[in-house]
Structure formats: structure tokens, C-alpha cells
Amino acid sequence: MYRLYIPCNMSNVSDMQTSDVARNDIRETHPIITLLFSSPPAFSLLNITSPIYIMSWSQKTFTLPSRSRGSYLITDHVLQEVPDIRDYKVGMLNLFVQHTSCALSLNENWDDDVRADMSDALDRIAPMDKKGNLYRHSAEGEDDMPAHIKSALIGASVNIPITNGRLATGTWQGIWYLEFRTSRHSRKVVATIQGQKA
């Protein structure tokens, strides 16, 4: 789907089949007109004199490597699975993990100790229920409910700006996958990009 944003001014509103009052109302309440196209519009057929900005969308689902409890740096894996990133001049990448016992985050990308410390700290916040008196929910074992708590605290998604075909992360920022279950699990991530292509 292509989304066309047209800054609304006198020149591109005057040709609309509306009254002067309606045109004034459009300018005052809708400074930007949005048109939707299923394919790239033929701009030569449109009588538009203002700058135009085409917003494009792309989406795919990919699978993370199977992991057990821990925090893992997955930036390179994301770049490999979502090559469309390099096609965007400016945009936003949303990564959403489709599970309730793991999480995604942005954090330290250099020192492995940070990821180990993060996993240990989360274990202290939501410990496993070895005696069976901390949590009601334990359908999948003693690590079940703690995994849900950690997932709620960290979150299921991250948003990362795209600038000139690259993720606009800071020098020490990387994309983390945090697995909260003791046994290995395979996790699916939905990657959605919205932006202006180069």
C-alpha cells in the first residue's frame, strides 16, 4: 500500500470540485491531504504542484534461533532477515515478538556481561517458584509465571528509526532478544517498516 501525503495549499486545493467555503475548511482542518494507492501513483496524471511524499509499508515474519534462558544480541540477524531496511531513506522499523514468555529490547551491544547481568537481575525480580507458593499460574512449570512477568516488564516490541538505509541506533545500542524459559524455544518476530523509500 502506498500512502501519498500532499501539503495542502491554495494551488493544490483550488482545482478540487468544491465551493470556496469548502476549500477554506479543507485548508484549516486538513493541512495535509492523504491519498492511498495500491500501486505507485502516476504523478504526471495528478495536477499537484506541492512537494509530495510517498509513504511505503513492508512487513515480514521471521524466526529467531532457538535459545534457552538468557539475553541475546540479534542486531545482525535482524539486518539479515529484513534487507528491505536499506531501501528506505527515512522510516521506522517495528519488531514485534509473537510470544508471552520472552521479550525484545534495545541495550548494550558490546559487553556480554551486561546481558548476563540483565538476566540475573530479572531472575531476582521474578524468581522461579521452587516451593509452589509464589504464583497461581504454573501450567508449564516453575519458570512459567516468572517468564510472563519478565515479558510484561521488558515488552514485546521495539521501534527503531531508519536513516539512509541504516538503523539509526546509537554507538553502543543493539537489539536484544531475551528468552525467559529454561528450555529452548523458537520465537517468531513480525518486522514492519513504514517510511519513505530512497
Side-chain angles (χ1 to χ4, degrees), residues 37-61:
F37 299 87
S38 59
S39 60
F43 297 115
S44 61
L45 301 179
L46 302 175
N47 183 19
I48 298 172
T49 58
S50 297
I52 54 177
Y53 310 92
I54 299 178
M55 300 300 286
S56 181
W57 291 80
S58 67
Q59 187 176 81
K60 71 168 293 188
T61 300

Side-chain angles (χ1 to χ4, degrees), residues 9-117:
N9 59 34
M10 192 61 150
S11 63
N12 58 33
V13 174
S14 59
D15 291 334
M16 292 182 179
Q17 299 299 312
T18 60
S19 66
D20 289 340
V21 173
R23 288 198 296 272
N24 287 335
D25 181 64
I26 289 172
R27 278 196 301 276
E28 290 175 4
T29 60
H30 300 87
I32 295 178
I33 298 173
T34 304
L35 304 175
L36 295 177
F37 299 87
S38 59
S39 60
F43 297 115
S44 61
L45 301 179
L46 302 175
N47 183 19
I48 298 172
T49 58
S50 297
I52 54 177
Y53 310 92
I54 299 178
M55 300 300 286
S56 181
W57 291 80
S58 67
Q59 187 176 81
K60 71 168 293 188
T61 300
F62 63 91
T63 302
L64 293 172
S66 181
R67 302 283 191 177
S68 57
R69 175 196 168 277
S71 301
Y72 304 94
L73 188 64
I74 60 166
T75 308
D76 290 342
H77 186 77
V78 170
L79 294 174
Q80 177 182 340
E81 292 286 345
V82 193
D84 289 359
I85 291 169
R86 58 176 171 259
D87 297 333
Y88 285 80
K89 180 179 180 181
V90 61
M92 185 68 71
L93 169 67
N94 174 268
L95 298 173
F96 175 80
V97 65
Q98 297 179 304
H99 305 274
T100 60
S101 55
C102 61
L104 297 175
S105 181
L106 283 173
N107 216 306
E108 168 76 52
N109 68 2
W110 182 73
D111 189 349
D112 294 347
D113 286 345
V114 177
R115 295 194 295 277
D117 285 343

